[in-house]
Amino acid sequence: MTITVRTAQAVEAVGADGRADGIRRHELAGFLRSRRERITPEQVGLDRGARRRTPGLRREEVAQLSAVGVTWYTWLEQARPIQVSAQVLDALARALLLDPSERSHLFALAGVADPAPGTPCATVTPALRDMLARLDPFPACVQNSRYDILAYNRAYSGLMCDLDAVPPEDRNCVLLAFTNEEWSAALGDAGETRRILAGKLRAAMAEHLAEPPWKTLLARLRAASPEFREIWERHEVVAPTGSRTKHFVNGCVGHLDLVHTDLWLGPSSGPRLVTYVPLDEESRRKLEKLRRLRERKDQESGHSDRVSAQVSERASERASERASTGVPSGV
C-alpha cells in the first residue's frame, strides 16, 4: 500500500511540474511576442516596407537579428516544449532591446540561469551593422573579449567556414579553431594560431575568472580538445597586438594574405570591430571573386543578404505564411 501511495504521489508531482512548465512556456511566449511587437523596424536598422501589416517586428526578423532559425523562434512563441540555451536567450535579449529587468524576467520564464545577471543588453547598433555590410568584400566582424562573434558581414561568413551554419552558441573563434575542422583548415598556420588564441584567452580571462560565461567556455574547450588542454596547462599568456598579417586558405579561392586590425568600440577589454584588408593585389582580386561567387549563389537560391540586416518583403511574406500554417520555414 505504501508503495502505491508513493507512486501516485510521484505521478501527481510530475503532472504538477508539467502543468507549471506549460504555464511558464505560455508566459514566455506572450512576453516575447509583446516585446517583439513594441519594437519598430527602424530601431534595429530594418526597412519598414510598404506592405507591412505586422505591428513591430516580424518573427523572421527577430530570428535574423538573433541568428537563430525562424522555425525554432516560431515554436518558442507558440509555447512548444523546446530547450533554449543561455547563449540564445542572451541573443534574443539583445535583439529585443531588453533592459536589465526585462532580461532577468526572460531568463526566469525560460527557467535558465542568467550567466551575466544585471548586465545591460548592449546590442550591435544599426550603424555598426551598416558599417559591416559596407566593408564587403573585406571580411569584418564584431567580437567581445571572450572571442564570441557577435555580428559579421557576408565576406567574413565564408572566409574560414560557412559561419551561418554554425549554431550561435558555437560562434567563438577559440572554440572554432580547436573543434571545427573546416575553420582550422583555413588557418594558414593552424597550430601556431591555436597556441596564440589560447594565450590571448588566458590573458583576457584574468579579469573574469569567476564569471559563468568564461568558465563555461573554458570547460567546453577542455572537454572538447586534448590539444587545448595541453596548451592551457603551459600557462602561456599572449597580449593583444595591433595590425598584423594573417594567412588563410579559402576553399573557393585558395591562399589569402590579409591585414588584421582590431578597432575597439569602447574600453580595450570590451567589444571590438575586427577587419581584414588585402595585403596585395592578388588577395584583393580573390576577395572580389568571393563576393561574385556569393552573389551568384544568392541569386540562384533566392536568399537575401542576412548580414546587411535587410529582409525582403517577399521572403518575409513567405516565411510568415509558413509559420502561421505550422510548416517549417528552415533554420
Side-chain angles (χ1 to χ4, degrees):
M1 175 63 76
T2 301
I3 295 176
T4 303
V5 171
R6 287 180 178 175
T7 302
Q9 289 174 337
V11 171
E12 183 178 353
V14 170
D17 289 343
R19 289 192 296 272
D21 287 343
I23 293 172
R24 190 166 59 185
R25 288 198 306 271
H26 280 86
E27 286 291 327
L28 175 62
F31 179 67
L32 287 172
R33 189 162 50 250
S34 69
R35 300 304 89 179
R36 170 172 62 83
E37 292 176 349
R38 74 171 182 175
I39 299 174
T40 64
E42 292 82 1
Q43 285 180 278
V44 291
L46 298 178
D47 285 339
R48 172 169 292 276
R51 300 169 55 194
R52 181 177 293 270
R53 296 188 298 270
T54 304
L57 298 178
R58 298 184 176 94
R59 286 172 173 170
E60 59 268 23
E61 290 170 335
V62 174
Q64 173 195 351
L65 293 169
S66 306
V68 300
V70 178
T71 301
W72 183 91
Y73 179 76
T74 299
W75 287 351
L76 200 58
E77 278 203 10
Q78 292 174 345
R80 302 267 190 109
I82 58 176
Q83 296 296 320
V84 57
S85 68
Q87 293 90 339
V88 170
L89 288 172
D90 179 71
L92 288 172
R94 291 198 307 269
L96 294 171
L97 308 180
L98 302 187
D99 62 28
S101 297
E102 292 170 328
R103 175 190 171 94
S104 177
H105 186 62
L106 173 68
F107 276 83
L109 289 176
V112 176
D114 188 349
T119 301
C121 296
T123 187
V124 178
T125 65
L128 191 52
R129 290 181 184 277
D130 186 54
M131 183 185 300
L132 284 172
R134 291 176 182 274
L135 283 170
D136 194 70
F138 299 161
C141 69
V142 177
Q143 297 177 11
N144 60 17
S145 57
R146 201 167 52 246
Y147 294 90
D148 295 328
I149 302 169
L150 307 179
Y152 53 91
N153 64 6
R154 291 299 305 278
Y156 188 85
S157 71
L159 178 62
M160 288 168 279
C161 72
D162 182 3
L163 195 55
D164 291 345
V166 175
E169 59 269 25
D170 293 343
R171 292 175 191 165
N172 175 278
C173 292
V174 186
L175 187 66
L176 289 169
F178 280 95
T179 65
N180 185 292
E181 292 184 4
E182 186 179 2
W183 183 284
S184 179
L187 301 174
D189 188 346
E192 179 65 7
T193 299
R194 287 193 290 267
R195 184 191 69 81
I196 291 173
L197 277 172
K200 287 184 175 181
L201 180 67
R202 179 177 283 281
M205 191 172 178
E207 300 178 4
H208 308 277
L209 291 174
E211 296 179 18
W214 291 78
K215 293 166 68 176
T216 298
L217 174 61
L218 180 59
R220 291 190 65 189
L221 284 163
R222 292 176 67 92
S225 172
E227 180 186 3
F228 176 83
R229 291 197 301 272
E230 192 274 328
I231 295 174
W232 192 255
E233 292 305 318
R234 301 176 195 168
H235 289 263
E236 293 181 355
V237 176
V238 179
T241 56
S243 297
R244 57 203 180 279
T245 300
K246 286 194 171 184
H247 310 287
F248 299 95
V249 182
N250 182 269
C252 294
V253 297
H255 189 85
L256 290 165
D257 295 319
L258 306 178
V259 179
H260 171 128
T261 302
D262 289 327
L263 302 173
W264 271 267
L265 305 177
S268 60
S269 61
R272 62 191 178 276
L273 175 66
V274 180
T275 62
Y276 295 91
V277 299
L279 178 67
D280 49 41
E281 189 59 33
E282 181 182 2
S283 294
R284 183 183 298 271
R285 287 196 299 269
K286 289 181 177 180
L287 288 178
E288 290 286 356
K289 181 179 179 180
L290 272 177
R291 176 163 66 175
R292 292 194 298 271
L293 291 173
R294 289 193 307 272
E295 291 173 347
R296 185 183 307 164
K297 181 179 178 181
D298 287 344
Q299 291 173 358
E300 292 173 353
S301 65
H303 291 164
S304 62
D305 185 345
R306 64 175 293 280
V307 179
S308 67
Q310 302 297 326
V311 180
S312 71
E313 289 295 323
R314 183 177 301 174
S316 298
E317 293 297 331
R318 287 201 301 267
S320 295
E321 291 171 4
R322 286 192 292 264
S324 64
T325 57
V327 177
S329 55
V331 295

